[in-house]
């Protein structure tokens, strides 16, 4: 009987942290996602992949300045490249990537940034990030899309800011 | 208690028992045979992949047989290892566990053979396009990549075949209850039935994807299909499938490993509670595989994240219960101290050692899983080789190495032949552990350096120098695992063909320190838990699925390989 009692004590001593640890994780996640703003992609809207050439903003893929230091990058993904394949962005700018696919599912991951999205035909993927450090960032299609999948690599070139202080 | 019945039987009684279960044993044996043939072929491609990463391309020499190169090999690796190997092993294993634990044969042996027949027919039908490079869509078969319809039809048959086992189990449970109206369901049978119930519920997702979207579309009956809807239905099944792989392993960890360790299961009630929680929580969390998907709202992603942390709880209960059982065994064998008892465990016993090593790597896999589940932290690792590193610890080791460990006693028991070399089996377990540890560690690291998964790295235009520094270690781990696999198959083939004939008894089911009498009877009544499970599924999935169906687009299929 005594042994059993000890067993229950051990069970409780394990169960309490087993509840507390996941809850602590969750709180941290909710704070970073909604207060710090490291958001995942959401439900942005649909688009007809066959009509991309006539559907704004995908009719003109590329980088657009919305305000000083604030950009929008419109990208299409297709077998086996991105349009545009290279984007040049001044350091310090905040960029919203708006991406869709013309054919199959692709991926869009910019190394050393939180930008990591699935690119699905018919859907618009959108994520925002700020580039602080100049340099070349590879963009990988990280979802198998066919025989040339490993060739599907793009680039973001972050140039030293012309007027970095003015942006801040 | 049913467990007391089995322990202590004489060899002669054991032989008689085996005679009663002749059909069940044949079915289990056949399922295991198909499973391990699949793993042999599928596993081989793992080594080719790791070598290809390092610029050693062995796909050219085999091009006359497999035209599709790296990606066809990867499709075979994924489909054969995690769809075919796991499913066939589990159906065989649960057939064995259910009938031995309840002490009665299959309720319908004809249905048992039909189960195996439908699954095997499905496998052969799906294998054809896979081998002809007409289904190089990987094991996730995301549309609009479009495979030969036979691939989808074959896989659907495999899934439908598995459902038949649950029908058999339910009929057996009825018979058993009629004969034992007051008794608690024996723990192993309880777990086997919970596993299959969870599996049948969660496969509604992939069944709907196949029947309503992919099969009509691949047959050309509809002009296109909706990729986000298909992904959502796929992951409705695709997350819980990992519990379909793990729960049968837990059945061994709870009911056999404590006995092999020389002790008892720590707590039967805690084990029952954890399985009921898996039944409830496994399915309504599948969108954690879609954190980075467009077309799904952040709120539902977050809800699924929260429930995912919920399912972490029964996993921790299992961890505690299993380790406490090991400690019980270690102390029963004279072990002392806080941790020194570990050395008193039967480390010379390959079946035991393989499964404990599997547990150790699984602990790391679980910790990594916590990171993957963490909503926005997932952005760092999603679809990088981190993920491949992760699931080689879980399904590739916790499941695969445990299944191998089980076969070290189960195959001798089924065939009546002694294991050919226990020493070789021990070396096999340790080499798998070391090889996978190395392989997986560096795959995780490469993932943190943004190396994409499902990618023929060796054929990229530029390979990052940081990756090049680490890639050789991936091949080192792979080669050690390859050696381990050769040892395994050699030992098994020799056991079956040349092992010493002997009536090898089955490992008796472990008894519990704290038995079922300490838990509420409502745990053995499935109805309330099923109601909760369905309610949670409806809450977590209905709004998204209804919206996706109403917005449905018809995206045409493409063959891009
Ligand atoms: C000899 C042992 C093994 C080696 C060397 C190995 C190697 C690999 C490698 C390098 C990849 C990544 C390929 C890529 O992302 O391009 C991979 C993927 C994978 N492996 Fe293994 N593997 C082995 C055994 C296993 C086992 C035993 C299982 C499960 C039972 C397994 C399941 C998988 C799965 C599901 C994938 C993902 C396939 C996909 O992304 O479509 N592997 N393996
Ligand atoms: Cu790709
Ligand atoms: Cu999952």
């Amino acid at each position: 009987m005594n042994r059993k009692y000890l067993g229950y004590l051990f069970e409780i001593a394990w169960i309490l942290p087993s509840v507390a640890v996941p809850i602590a994780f969750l709180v941290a996640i909710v704070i970073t996602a909604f207060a710090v703003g490291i958001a995942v992609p959401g439900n942005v809207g649909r688009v007809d992949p066959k009509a991309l050439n006539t559907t704004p903003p995908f009719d003109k893929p590329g980088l657009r300045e919305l305000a000083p230091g604030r950009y929008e990058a419109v990208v299409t993904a297709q077998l086996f490249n991105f349009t545009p394949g290279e984007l040049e962005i001044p350091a310090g700018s905040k960029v919203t990537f708006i991406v869709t696919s013309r054919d199959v599912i692709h991926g869009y991951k910019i190394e050393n940034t939180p930008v990591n999205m699935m690119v699905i035909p018919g859907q618009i993927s959108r994520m925002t990030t700020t580039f602080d450090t100049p340099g070349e960032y590879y963009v990988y299609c990280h979802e198998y899309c066919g025989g040339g999948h490993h060739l599907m690599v793009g680039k973001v070139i972050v140039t030293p800011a012309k007027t970095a202080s003015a942006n801040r | 208690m049913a467990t007391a019945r089995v322990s202590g039987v004489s060899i002669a009684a054991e032989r008689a028992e085996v005679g009663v279960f002749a059909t069940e044993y044949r079915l289990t044996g056949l399922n295991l045979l198909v499973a391990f043939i699949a793993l042999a072929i599928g596993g081989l491609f793992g080594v080719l992949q790791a070598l290809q990463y390092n610029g050693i391309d062995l796909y050219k020499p085999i091009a006359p047989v497999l035209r599709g190169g790296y990606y066809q090999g990867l499709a075979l690796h994924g489909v054969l290892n995690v769809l075919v190997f796991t499913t066939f092993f589990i159906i065989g294993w649960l057939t064995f566990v259910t009938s031995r634990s309840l002490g009665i044969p299959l309720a319908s042996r004809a249905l048992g053979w039909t189960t195996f027949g439908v699954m095997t027919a499905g496998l052969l039908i799906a294998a054809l396009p896979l081998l002809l490079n007409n289904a190089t869509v990987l094991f996730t078969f995301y549309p609009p990549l479009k495979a030969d319809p036979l691939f989808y039809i074959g896989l659907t048959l495999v899934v439908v075949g598995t459902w038949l086992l649950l029908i058999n189990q339910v009929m057996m449970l009825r018979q058993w209850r009629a004969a034992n109206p007051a008794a608690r369901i024996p723990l192993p049978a309880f777990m086997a039935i919970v596993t299959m119930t969870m599996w049948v519920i969660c496969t509604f997702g992939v069944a709907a994807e196949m029947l309503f979207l992919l099969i009509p579309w691949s047959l050309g009956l509809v002009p296109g299909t909706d990729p986000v809807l298909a992904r959502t239905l796929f992951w409705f099944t695709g997350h819980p499938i990992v519990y379909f792989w793990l729960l049968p392993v837990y059945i061994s960890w709870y009911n056999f490993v404590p006995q092999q360790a020389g002790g008892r299961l720590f707590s039967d009630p805690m084990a029952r509670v954890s399985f009921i929680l898996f039944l409830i929580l496994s399915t309504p969390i599948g969108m954690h595989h879609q954190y980075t998907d467009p077309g799904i709202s952040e709120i539902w992603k977050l809800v699924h994240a929260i429930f995912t942390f919920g399912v972490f709880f029964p996993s921790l209960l299992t961890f505690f219960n299993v380790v406490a059982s090991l400690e019980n065994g270690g102390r029963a064998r004279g072990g002392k101290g806080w941790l020194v008892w570990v050395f008193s465990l039967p480390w010379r016993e390959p079946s035991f050692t393989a499964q404990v090593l599997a547990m150790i790597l699984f602990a790391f896999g679980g910790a990594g899983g916590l990171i993957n589940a963490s909503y926005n932290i997932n952005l760092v690792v999603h679809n990088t080789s981190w993920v491949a590193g992760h699931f080689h610890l879980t399904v590739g080791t916790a499941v695969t190495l445990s299944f191998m460990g089980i076969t070290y006693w189960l195959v001798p028991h089924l065939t009546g032949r002694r294991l050919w070399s226990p020493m070789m089996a021990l070396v096999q377990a340790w080499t798998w552990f070391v090889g996978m540890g190395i392989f997986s560690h560096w795959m995780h690291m490469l993932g943190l350096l943004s190396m994409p998964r499902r990618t023929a790295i060796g054929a990229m235009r530029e390979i990052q120098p940081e990756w090049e520094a680490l890639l050789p270690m991936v091949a080192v781990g792979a080669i050690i695992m390859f050696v381990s696999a050769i040892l395994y198959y050699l030992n098994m083939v020799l056991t079956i063909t040349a092992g010493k004939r002997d009536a090898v008894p089955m490992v008796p089911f472990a008894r519990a320190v704290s038995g079922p009498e300490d838990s509420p009877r409502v745990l053995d009544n499935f109805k309330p838990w099923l109601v909760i499970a369905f309610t949670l599924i409806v809450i977590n999935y209905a709004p998204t699925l209804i919206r996706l169906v109403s917005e449905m687009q018809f995206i045409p299929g493409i063959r891009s390989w």
Side-chain angles (χ1 to χ4, degrees), chain A residues 80 105-107 141-146 148-150 152:
Chain A
F80 294 104
I105 298 181
H106 298 280
C141 170
H142 63 16
E143 184 54 84
Y144 167 70
C145 54
H149 162 59
H150 48 276
M152 194 161 164

Side-chain angles (χ1 to χ4, degrees), chain A residues 74-136:
Chain A
V74 176
V75 178
T76 63
Q78 54 270 316
L79 302 166
F80 294 104
N81 54 43
F82 297 106
T83 312
E86 280 186 22
L87 289 163
E88 240 182 79
I89 298 170
S93 15
K94 188 171 178 183
V95 187
T96 298
F97 291 86
I98 302 175
V99 190
T100 195
S101 164
R102 284 180 195 278
D103 37 51
V104 299
I105 298 181
H106 298 280
Y108 198 80
K109 174 170 172 64
I110 309 179
E111 60 170 341
N112 300 328
T113 72
V115 176
N116 188 336
M117 311 188 270
M118 302 313 298
V119 181
I120 301 181
Q123 295 282 348
I124 300 170
S125 305
R126 193 171 68 191
M127 261 186 105
T128 301
T129 195
T130 303
F131 291 92
D132 288 324
T133 319
E136 291 191 356

Side-chain angles (χ1 to χ4, degrees), chain B residues 78 92 95 104 111 130 184 236 264 359 386 431 443 468 494:
Chain B
T95 301
I104 51 178
L111 188 61
L130 259 179
R184 298 298 296 264
F236 183 103
R264 292 183 179 202
M359 290 172 199
W386 164 286
T431 40
M443 289 291 279
E468 265 183 325
L494 286 170

Side-chain angles (χ1 to χ4, degrees), chain B residues 421-479:
Chain B
S421 166
M423 192 61 207
M424 198 154 128
L426 267 182
V427 175
Q428 186 274 324
W430 280 100
T431 40
W432 191 271
F433 176 76
V434 171
M436 194 56 99
I438 295 173
F439 171 83
S440 162
H441 174 78
W442 270 280
M443 289 291 279
H444 277 93
M445 291 297 135
L446 283 158
L448 293 180
L449 295 172
S450 293
M451 187 170 100
R453 71 180 277 207
R454 309 189 129 179
T455 304
I457 300 297
M460 290 178 80
R461 289 201 193 90
E462 316 171 49
I463 303 180
Q464 296 212 11
E466 295 93 330
W467 302 351
E468 265 183 325
L470 306 187
L471 283 169
M473 291 309 288
V474 171
V476 169
I479 289 166

